[in-house]
Amino acid sequence: MNNTLKKSIQEAASLLQKSRFTTAFTGAGISVESGIPPFRGEEGLWSKYDPRYLEISFFLSRPEESWQVIKQIFYDFFGKAAPNRAHLVLAEMERRGMLHRIITQNIDNLHQEAGNTRVYEFHGNSMKLVCLACSREFPYGKINLDHLPPRCPDCQGLLKPDFIFFGEAIPQEPLAAAYDAADKSDVFLIIGSTGEVMPANQIPPLAKQNGAKIIEINPEESNYTRRITDIFLQGKAGEVMSMLAETLFSTPLDDN
Ligand code: NAD
């Protein structure tokens, strides 16, 4: 670890130890080391898939085409991913009373799989499917995706993944939890987000305005870095969070 990063990690750990309310704000970057590519950037999913398949109007008018792409991205691919060290350190922070809330833009369920319980999903979750006719919900594993689009076992209505498509509103509960976190957090820990996705990108600047210190982890500078970040820990989420954990907890976490 170079000396600048070492010093920044010590400063970040000290802020986190003193904080009375800490929120982690996570984006696609935290799951990259779990094998899930982000949407943006050279290796991003948008270089391979057309984002219009995830527009709600396209889905409703051409569900079969939309579902073909959704199945490839989210179920053939996301379904195989497991939490990485960054997710696991956040879970340990929650257990130790050092993390009070996660606001995530991710839809991959990896924070919950790692053991975090106070997770608010800004963009929903891909692990549940919802019937657009009768509103019943089904775990995705219970629905056969061989025939697309999948239909509700009860009423034959169209099933939609329970994540937010482009053109849909953010659900009330995570929105309220995010504004509340921006209001009361002493520290906001941003991990792996470009800060380009509206309206989620408005939450960290609001936290800053309300007095929170901003710690950011990302291999690249984001829209936040020069505007609001107080401590920038440049690097991959899993690697940086492992280093942070060693300083933050008196004993290092077990490897797994
Ligand atoms: P993004 O795709 O816009 O940006 C990803 C960010 O992660 C970039 O800033 C990149 O530099 C950074 N990054 C890349 N590798 C990293 C690593 N190893 N560690 C830490 N950071 C790393 O992501 P976004 O801003 O979160 O917006 C995309 C939207 O797409 C999200 O809101 C989400 O809804 C959705 N999405 C979700 C997933 C998922 O659930 N895992 C994956 C792709 C997209």
Side-chain angles (χ1 to χ4, degrees), residues 27-29 33 37-40 105-108 123 192-194 197 218-219 237:
E33 287 151 277
F39 280 167
R40 291 171 177 71
Q105 297 166 82
N106 295 344
I107 57 175
D108 56 24
H123 295 153
S193 183
T194 52
V197 180
N218 200 313

Side-chain angles (χ1 to χ4, degrees), residues 1-249:
M1 189 187 335
N2 69 47
N3 278 342
T4 318
L5 183 58
K6 197 170 174 184
K7 190 160 165 276
S8 299
I9 283 189
Q10 273 160 356
E11 281 168 13
S14 157
L15 278 182
L16 288 164
Q17 274 156 350
K18 284 187 224 136
S19 170
R20 283 158 307 162
F21 197 98
T22 295
T23 298
F25 179 87
T26 63
I30 194 171
S31 298
V32 167
E33 287 151 277
S34 294
I36 303 178
F39 280 167
R40 291 171 177 71
E42 261 176 51
E43 303 289 316
L45 291 169
W46 293 155
S47 60
K48 205 167 154 205
Y49 299 99
D50 187 336
R52 80 189 172 126
Y53 289 111
L54 293 183
E55 281 166 15
I56 191 65
S57 52
F58 188 95
F59 177 80
L60 294 174
S61 59
R62 290 150 78 176
E64 186 181 339
E65 279 173 68
S66 194
W67 256 109
Q68 302 282 2
V69 172
I70 289 168
K71 180 171 179 275
Q72 276 181 39
I73 301 181
F74 297 104
Y75 299 107
D76 296 348
F77 196 26
F78 274 37
K80 298 185 183 79
N84 66 52
R85 295 279 296 171
H87 298 103
L88 296 174
V89 171
L90 289 181
E92 183 63 19
M93 284 174 69
E94 183 184 306
R95 275 193 289 275
R96 292 180 184 229
M98 293 174 160
L99 180 66
H100 305 90
R101 193 167 295 177
I102 294 181
I103 308 292
T104 188
Q105 297 166 82
N106 295 344
I107 57 175
D108 56 24
N109 208 46
L110 293 183
H111 287 303
Q112 291 91 329
E113 283 179 41
N116 281 102
T117 59
R118 299 177 204 141
V119 183
Y120 291 87
E121 294 165 312
F122 222 76
H123 295 153
N125 190 306
S126 59
M127 296 294 128
K128 239 178 2 184
L129 306 185
V130 61
C131 173
L132 294 184
C134 72
S135 304
R136 267 200 73 187
E137 295 175 347
F138 302 90
Y140 100 95
K142 291 255 180 311
I143 299 294
N144 183 346
L145 296 182
D146 290 342
H147 301 287
L148 297 177
R151 295 276 166 193
C152 175
D154 289 349
C155 77
Q156 295 305 306
L158 175 63
L159 290 177
K160 172 187 169 294
D162 199 20
F163 57 73
I164 303 305
F165 281 51
F166 296 119
E168 286 193 290
I170 306 299
Q172 203 47 46
E173 196 195 0
L175 200 59
Y179 280 108
D180 177 61
D183 189 35
K184 64 182 178 209
S185 295
D186 298 316
V187 174
F188 239 64
L189 176 60
I190 306 175
I191 309 177
S193 183
T194 52
E196 284 175 21
V197 180
M198 294 260 289
N201 64 357
Q202 294 167 0
I203 302 299
L206 200 59
K208 172 83 173 182
Q209 253 177 44
N210 291 337
K213 291 285 183 196
I214 310 289
I215 302 170
E216 183 184 10
I217 300 176
N218 200 313
E220 313 284 339
E221 287 193 0
S222 72
N223 280 355
Y224 301 121
T225 315
R226 286 170 194 261
R227 280 174 49 226
I228 60 166
T229 299
D230 296 294
I231 302 179
F232 184 46
L233 304 176
Q234 189 158 21
K236 294 181 178 175
E239 292 173 10
V240 173
M241 285 300 283
S242 300
M243 293 187 251
L244 185 63
E246 281 185 36
T247 312
L248 194 56
F249 311 145

